[in-house]
Amino acid sequence: MPIYRLSNNLVFPDPSLAEEDGLLALDGDLSPERLLLAYSNGIFPWFSDEEPILWWSPDPRFVLYPKDIRISHSMKKILKKNIYKISFDTCFRDVISNCSNMRKEEGTWITNEMIEAYCKLHELGFAHSVETWYEDKLVGGLYGISMGKCFFGESMFSTMDNASKAAFITLSKLLDEKGFVVIDCQVHTHHLESLGAVYISREDFSQMVKRAISIEPLKLFF
């Protein structure tokens, strides 16, 4: 079946029509309106500079429930020692740029176009960053999208051991305190699996997102 090509209309095909690898559609744009529509339907962009904009909705989906964050004994010791300072939304552009730069050798999907699009979402109060500092130097962090009671994780980086893990654990605890339902991890990584992320079906994820987004109006949560 041909891949669906997006028009100028803000419409996505049903995620159930995605290819086996999760590819759902191509083209369109990275406007705030389209990105927010995509996330609210369990869809995210992932492409390189040489490709058109590609939109994905994999099945199964890899997620982490904030209440189920798994913290190793060694990580508990690191957090207890306060080696790192964690902050929120203090330097979003620096975080997303570091996420991009750390992956350039292997080929990054965080293109300049993506950086500008997500910085715009940050200005609008939907995209957020978590920063890890060591002696006033940014050494790790992550960014993602917050809608309702869902946090859609996008990427993380680390230049010191466990720096991104410290950011993720701190974020998970905060989201749990605020009643967030799920952190979308999109696809499997061993790093996220070690922290407690699990697979669920695309249908279950879609229904969860619809319920969680409707819990309260979209707003800045930090």
Side-chain angles (χ1 to χ4, degrees):
M1 183 176 65
I3 297 296
Y4 188 92
R5 286 184 175 272
L6 300 180
S7 65
N8 291 330
N9 296 326
L10 290 177
V11 177
F12 281 98
D14 191 299
S16 65
L17 299 175
E19 298 289 297
E20 186 175 350
D21 62 359
L23 181 60
L24 177 65
L26 55 83
D27 293 338
D29 56 47
L30 295 177
S31 66
E33 295 81 8
R34 191 182 297 276
L35 284 170
L36 294 176
L37 177 64
Y39 282 103
S40 67
N41 284 279
I43 302 164
F44 60 88
W46 188 19
F47 63 100
S48 65
D49 272 327
E50 296 77 28
E51 296 175 319
I53 299 174
L54 303 177
W55 301 90
W56 303 79
S57 182
D59 188 19
R61 193 72 165 230
F62 208 51
V63 305
L64 188 140
Y65 303 109
K67 63 182 179 60
D68 293 336
I69 184 71
R70 188 184 302 151
I71 309 173
S72 66
H73 291 301
S74 60
M75 198 63 209
K76 286 179 181 178
K77 290 180 181 179
I78 291 172
L79 294 172
K80 189 174 182 180
K81 290 179 180 178
N82 292 318
I83 295 172
Y84 297 123
K85 175 186 174 184
I86 308 297
S87 62
F88 299 94
D89 284 342
T90 63
C91 53
F92 183 89
R93 183 177 288 273
D94 289 340
V95 170
I96 191 172
S97 296
N98 272 283
C99 289
S100 175
N101 292 334
M102 292 287 286
R103 289 166 175 78
K104 279 189 174 175
E105 288 188 6
E106 60 193 58
T108 181
W109 72 95
I110 309 173
T111 63
N112 289 335
E113 183 181 12
M114 288 278 274
I115 290 173
E116 295 308 317
Y118 283 80
C119 283
K120 180 62 176 178
L121 283 180
H122 176 63
E123 292 171 7
L124 293 172
F126 293 102
H128 302 280
S129 60
V130 185
E131 304 91 24
T132 305
W133 305 87
Y134 179 75
E135 296 182 349
D136 297 324
K137 181 179 180 182
L138 182 65
V139 295
L142 62 89
Y143 74 97
I145 306 297
S146 172
M147 299 179 71
K149 293 295 186 180
C150 289
F151 188 86
F152 302 89
E154 274 297 313
S155 187
M156 59 180 69
F157 83 96
S158 181
T159 60
M160 287 185 65
D161 290 345
N162 300 305
S164 62
K165 190 176 291 187
F168 188 84
I169 290 171
T170 303
L171 172 67
S172 298
K173 289 182 174 180
L174 175 64
L175 296 181
D176 185 31
E177 291 171 3
K178 290 181 172 288
F180 272 61
V181 176
V182 68
I183 300 173
D184 176 27
C185 302
Q186 298 179 347
V187 296
H188 176 272
T189 70
H190 292 294
H191 176 66
L192 290 169
E193 182 179 16
S194 72
L195 290 166
V198 296
Y199 281 117
I200 64 172
S201 72
R202 177 169 52 212
E203 178 62 23
D204 285 347
F205 177 73
S206 177
Q207 293 303 316
M208 183 188 305
V209 167
K210 283 181 171 59
R211 291 193 301 269
I213 286 179
S214 67
I215 290 174
E216 64 177 25
L218 311 182
K219 65 179 184 181
L220 184 72
F221 73 93
F222 289 124

